[in-house]
Amino acid sequence: MNRYFYYCVTIVSMLNLMMFVPYLLIQDRYTGAISSMLLAALIGTTMAFLFTFVMKAFPGKGVPEIFAMYFPKWVTAPLMFFLGCMYFISASIVLNGFAVLINRFLNPDTSSIVVLSLLSLACVYGATRSTLTNIFIVEMGLILNVPLILMILFKSYRNSNLDWDAMLTIAQYWRNPPKLNSYAAAVYLFTGYSGYAIFNRLNPPNFRLRYRWLIPLVCCFIMVTSFFVPIGFHGTEAVASYLYVWSVTADSMTMEYGFLERVVFIFLLLYLNLSLVYTANVWHIAMEFFKSCLPKAKPQIDPERTPLSNWVIACILGLFTVVTSYLLDEKQDLRLATNWLILRVCVEVISVLFLFVLSIGAGGKKQST
Amino acid sequence: MKYNRILLLTVMLLSLAGLTGGCGFKDIDKRFFVVAIGIDPPAEGAKGYKVTLRLAVPSPKVEPGAAKSRVETIQATTIAEGVRLLKSHVDKELDFGHCKLLLFGEELVKKDFRAPMQWFARRRDIQSVAYVAIGKPDANSILNVEPSSERLPGNAIFLTFGHGGTESSYTLYTYLFDLLRRAGERGLDPILPIMRVENNGYVVTRLGLLDKSKLVTVLNPQETEMFNQIRYEFKKSTVAASFGGQNMVMSVDGISSKTKIVRTNEGYVLRLRLKIKGIFEEAPIGVYDQDWKKLEQTFNAQVEQEAERLLKKVQQAGVDPFGFGLKFRATHAGSEKTWKAWESIYPRLKFDVKANVIIEGSGIIR
């Protein structure tokens, strides 16, 4: 089960390359993005390591069950509801962002609401599947898409239009102190472990997570790429004027003898797959959190038949996403994403540390018995 | 339970049908593909722009000279308005997705090219990898040419630029994203190739140097080649030198150019080290038996002189197409002061050019 953990880590950092994270980092490129990224690499990795410790201390248990062990229902239910909302918002931001991207680059004649509704339908279906199926979906999605994405990323480094001077110029600004905005954006790339708040249910009791050094390695590579490659392509100034930084960067590459000359279309399709998989997956996690608030909730990792509650909750999530995107414009979307990222940083630190304290207690109990 | 599932599926499928009805797709035979856009200043006295579009006319024949296109021109106060107006002149929907050439008229670039450039940047359907060039004497006359060798509409343009067709050391190309980068960058200024028409075909031999808003100076073909060698290390080029009236030309096999900005007692100096390897392409018979070291030294001296003349010309024009300023920023502490310092350094920057030409062979004959 080792590899599934790293799939979760990879998909989160890969996906955010396309979303708001590089945009937010690049806005602060002269004022602390570099130091924020360094700090994020440090704290993000620490958080991930602490969380893997928690996973080990409570094998086979998701976060709702861990809380249920220590606290009464009336304490855990609102907490779980809140955590579920946090997960739900992260996926909805991604899906909404992608619907807008499709509207901008692939099919300008269809409104983004229509696209979003179609995407939501697919994701609602994916989310209602069982926990076990969902982790398999992640594996398949990654294996099908990541090789080509990696090829495009490596090709971007070898592109003759990549201006290393511009990248070095920005790297010279490492002395500025970190900023909360860019720290929140950068550390988000390291939070792939959080999927295991639910997927930990799948781990067998004697589970041991190996190759943990992969977490900082993969995430740092993607973080550095997502920040520096656009700067290399668009220079230190013009890069800040692009709203969809990576779509434009992909559009700046050509593969004359590939299937399509313009890389952007391949890139967008690959990322469309990733974002569908990610959203289905995270909505499933959110759904499980909401389900744990229901009375008589019993976690099942692979039920014979899909419970009706799955459908009801997932449909509400989908509907909520579509309605919200109808109400908000692009600027408000971005503000929502920024504020959500900052809130998420606080929630992450508090919940991981809290779980860690609980797991130390659990470890102590085990030794005494 | 089963009943519920079927009901849900039906509802989902039905809503799908309703949604897809909203997709506004147009078939390929109901579209006009724009292959090139030209922007010129308007006729005397009028305000706005003269927009020229070259539209590809689909044709079943693919053979040299069979390409047909249609050129539409209109004058309007804004480009967006002009394009909307042009839509009413044609029967099919205009599609900019395949537009590969964005042409500014020379007169326009001499005044200010920023507003049309922003229009290109903002449009979602214009490629970042479209070529941008200056049309001489204007964009309209260039788009009106239908080269006789063209197999597909606009194909001659794409082959002229880029690495697909001809690769000339005099023909540089600038992508739209590169122009936008250079137009914004501090320490790197825009360049645009200048395109003109000759014998029903395109000629691109000169490079226009621009500052952030307009054309400043034009490099002649020799300078353009030198620029290509220094900035892009372009291999399919030549170096020439004359030996007492005898011209010798080498075709370049390998080239490396390294620049470094160093501080000396006489102020900042830009060190340029050019290393060029090649074999003779044009030389008098018997060059094999001459002392190659001596020949190399003559080559070195003449290349150095030529390069320094180019660097000085660019410096005097007050632009920085090589990106020396960016290089300075990349190697000095990151702060506003660095850029301020460079702005006062560049006009007084001295050049120290050393060329190292290596003769690898004399070709097939002695």
Side-chain angles (χ1 to χ4, degrees):
Chain A
M1 294 300 280
N2 252 316
R3 62 177 194 277
Y4 294 105
F5 181 78
Y6 295 109
Y7 290 146
C8 286
V9 170
T10 316
I11 197 170
V12 170
S13 44
M14 275 265 172
L15 192 68
N16 279 294
L17 188 140
M18 204 68 184
M19 291 293 134
F20 297 115
V21 171
Y23 173 80
L24 291 172
L25 283 173
I26 283 168
Q27 295 307 310
D28 278 331
R29 67 204 179 290
Y30 288 133
T31 50
I34 306 279
S35 49
S36 305
M37 275 160 51
L38 291 174
L39 191 70
L42 210 72
I43 298 183
T45 313
T46 318
M47 285 294 146
F49 280 11
L50 289 182
F51 192 83
T52 56
F53 185 81
V54 176
M55 277 164 53
K56 210 177 138 205
F58 301 102
K61 285 200 170 66
V63 168
E65 291 94 271
I66 298 174
F67 271 84
M69 274 164 60
Y70 292 90
F71 304 104
K73 188 102 191 172
W74 60 269
V75 178
T76 55
L79 268 178
M80 292 306 112
F81 183 78
F82 174 68
L83 283 181
C85 287
M86 292 302 287
Y87 278 93
F88 162 64
I89 293 171
S90 90
S92 297
I93 288 173
V94 167
L95 203 65
N96 188 23
F98 220 90
V100 174
L101 264 185
I102 289 177
N103 172 253
R104 290 286 178 280
F105 286 94
L106 287 180
N107 191 2
D109 293 333
T110 313
S111 92
S112 62
I113 291 288
V114 175
V115 176
L116 182 64
S117 315
L118 283 169
L119 297 182
S120 299
L121 276 182
C123 293
V124 164
Y125 178 76
T128 54
R129 303 299 93 199
S130 71
T131 311
L132 198 62
T133 315
N134 260 287
I135 199 104
F136 292 152
I137 298 175
V138 177
E139 176 171 36
M140 281 185 262
L142 276 184
I143 286 178
L144 289 176
N145 295 303
V146 164
L148 262 176
I149 293 180
L150 279 181
M151 189 193 90
I152 293 173
L153 292 188
F154 281 122
K155 259 184 85 77
S156 72
Y157 274 110
R158 291 187 37 81
N159 195 302
S160 59
N161 281 306
L162 193 72
D163 192 339
W164 290 86
D165 279 344
M167 290 152 82
L168 282 173
T169 302
I170 294 301
Q172 292 280 359
Y173 285 81
W174 59 273
R175 281 192 196 84
N176 297 335
K179 268 175 100 175
L180 183 60
N181 263 3
S182 37
Y183 167 74
V187 83
Y188 187 42
L189 294 174
F190 288 81
T191 53
Y193 66 83
S194 62
Y196 263 63
I198 292 296
F199 291 133
N200 200 31
R201 286 174 182 170
L202 301 170
N203 283 340
N206 56 352
F207 175 71
R208 242 187 84 225
L209 188 71
R210 276 172 298 170
Y211 314 119
R212 271 189 287 187
W213 45 267
L214 272 172
I215 304 174
L217 205 72
V218 170
C219 297
C220 284
F221 168 71
I222 295 174
M223 181 172 74
V224 169
T225 306
S226 71
F227 178 68
F228 278 110
V229 170
I231 290 175
F233 270 101
H234 305 300
T236 59
E237 296 294 321
V239 69
S241 60
Y242 293 113
L243 286 173
Y244 314 99
V245 180
W246 262 94
S247 310
V248 182
T249 305
D251 197 19
S252 307
M253 293 179 235
T254 52
M255 290 198 294
E256 258 171 60
Y257 304 107
F259 340 91
L260 283 172
E261 192 194 8
R262 291 178 72 189
V263 174
V264 62
F265 293 120
I266 303 170
F267 202 66
L268 277 176
L269 282 180
L270 292 171
Y271 264 95
L272 173 65
N273 292 346
L274 274 196
S275 62
L276 283 176
V277 168
Y278 174 79
T279 308
N281 201 41
V282 173
W283 279 2
H284 175 81
I285 294 170
M287 186 192 77
E288 288 293 327
F289 268 107
F290 291 140
K291 265 166 75 184
S292 75
C293 307
L294 300 176
K296 287 186 287 178
K298 206 169 124 261
Q300 281 175 304
I301 56 168
D302 195 18
E304 290 248 310
R305 145 180 299 301
T306 311
L308 187 66
S309 56
N310 278 14
W311 281 105
V312 174
I313 297 174
C315 285
I316 293 174
L317 296 185
L319 213 65
F320 202 77
T321 308
V322 176
V323 172
T324 323
S325 99
Y326 181 72
L327 295 176
L328 299 183
D329 64 24
E330 258 176 72
K331 258 170 107 171
Q332 288 164 323
D333 277 342
L334 182 68
R335 225 179 29 241
L336 175 78
T338 319
N339 290 330
W340 175 82
L341 277 173
I342 292 169
L343 175 67
R344 201 205 56 80
V345 168
C346 312
V347 174
E348 179 195 13
V349 172
I350 294 169
S351 51
V352 170
L353 286 182
F354 189 70
L355 281 167
F356 183 66
V357 171
L358 287 185
S359 69
I360 290 174
K365 244 190 265 169
K366 245 187 226 159
Q367 274 161 13
S368 62
T369 50
Chain B
M1 251 349 229
K2 189 138 205 173
Y3 176 74
N4 272 335
R5 284 174 61 150
I6 294 169
L7 191 77
L8 255 174
L9 264 173
T10 331
V11 169
M12 280 178 80
L13 283 174
L14 278 178
S15 59
L16 249 171
L19 285 169
T20 44
C23 298
F25 244 161
K26 283 210 174 67
D27 269 332
I28 198 160
D29 53 349
K30 298 192 178 63
R31 287 167 188 262
F32 248 139
F33 289 101
V34 180
V35 290
I37 310 179
I39 313 279
D40 280 313
E44 290 293 314
K47 271 190 190 150
Y49 303 99
K50 198 164 89 182
V51 181
T52 311
L53 301 185
R54 184 158 173 209
L55 312 170
V57 176
S59 136
K61 272 195 284 187
V62 179
E63 60 187 50
K68 285 202 192 84
S69 46
R70 182 170 157 184
V71 178
E72 293 283 341
T73 310
I74 202 155
Q75 202 158 305
T77 40
T78 60
I79 302 171
E81 228 175 306
V83 169
R84 294 295 182 287
L85 271 172
L86 267 178
K87 275 190 178 186
S88 61
H89 291 214
V90 292
D91 53 341
K92 302 182 183 91
E93 180 73 10
L94 293 182
D95 189 322
F96 289 89
H98 291 262
C99 178
K100 271 296 214 176
L101 180 70
L102 316 173
L103 211 56
F104 295 121
E106 199 190 16
E107 291 306 314
L108 179 87
V109 172
K110 275 183 180 160
K111 284 194 202 104
D112 193 346
F113 65 91
R114 278 175 301 183
M117 182 185 76
Q118 290 304 337
W119 184 79
F120 291 139
R122 205 175 283 283
R123 278 289 288 214
R124 55 190 162 192
D125 45 2
I126 289 192
Q127 313 182 9
S128 299
V129 285
Y131 303 114
V132 192
I134 298 172
K136 191 179 164 111
D138 57 18
N140 184 21
S141 60
I142 296 206
L143 295 188
N144 269 311
V145 173
E146 289 205 26
S148 48
S149 63
E150 215 167 47
R151 287 159 58 90
L152 303 161
N155 205 27
I157 299 168
F158 319 152
L159 291 177
T160 303
F161 295 110
H163 286 310
T166 174
E167 283 184 75
S168 160
S169 51
Y170 302 112
T171 308
L172 279 102
Y173 57 92
T174 307
Y175 288 128
L176 175 62
F177 81 89
D178 192 31
L179 174 69
L180 292 167
R181 149 167 81 187
R182 285 166 175 269
E185 190 69 295
R186 291 188 294 177
L188 182 65
D189 285 329
I191 52 171
L192 285 178
I194 295 179
M195 218 174 168
R196 62 196 165 82
V197 175
E198 213 176 274
N199 295 335
N200 215 19
Y202 307 111
V203 183
V204 188
T205 53
R206 285 162 196 270
L207 189 68
L209 305 183
L210 300 89
D211 65 6
K212 301 297 181 206
S213 64
K214 61 185 188 305
L215 184 69
V216 174
T217 185
V218 177
L219 299 183
N220 65 32
Q222 279 72 37
E223 289 165 338
T224 303
E225 184 178 38
M226 197 76 219
F227 179 87
N228 209 351
Q229 287 170 332
I230 294 175
R231 167 79 188 173
Y232 297 110
E233 303 185 335
F234 189 81
K235 268 199 273 182
K236 295 185 180 171
S237 54
T238 56
V239 275
S242 70
F243 297 84
Q246 250 322 340
N247 279 329
M248 287 196 190
V249 184
M250 262 169 52
S251 79
V252 174
D253 257 353
I255 188 165
S256 100
S257 94
K258 298 222 155 48
T259 50
K260 199 174 177 188
I261 299 157
V262 286
R263 192 176 192 162
T264 62
N265 339 346
E266 299 150 42
Y268 281 91
V269 173
L270 183 110
R271 271 200 197 134
L272 171 66
R273 297 283 174 270
L274 263 179
K275 192 173 163 188
I276 302 170
K277 284 192 284 187
I279 56 174
F280 277 113
E281 193 168 308
E282 201 173 324
I285 201 101
V287 73
Y288 186 83
D289 302 312
Q290 288 182 31
D291 183 6
W292 283 7
K293 280 272 160 309
K294 248 189 198 157
L295 292 179
E296 279 172 357
Q297 271 162 15
T298 321
F299 265 110
N300 286 348
Q302 298 197 8
V303 168
E304 277 163 20
Q305 204 190 353
E306 203 184 322
E308 197 163 336
R309 209 183 310 132
L310 171 65
L311 293 176
K312 287 229 170 92
K313 176 175 179 178
V314 167
Q315 182 190 30
Q316 269 155 21
V319 288
D320 187 2
F322 289 98
F324 296 141
L326 196 60
K327 182 136 224 142
F328 186 80
R329 288 174 73 204
T331 46
H332 290 75
S335 72
E336 278 302 300
K337 266 189 240 149
T338 307
W339 175 241
K340 287 261 151 56
W342 173 255
E343 279 182 314
S344 63
I345 290 169
Y346 187 52
R348 288 179 283 121
L349 189 68
K350 292 196 171 55
F351 300 104
D352 166 27
V353 184
K354 285 264 157 18
N356 181 15
V357 179
I358 299 166
I359 300 170
E360 288 194 316
S362 64
I364 306 283
I365 54 171
R366 283 172 76 92

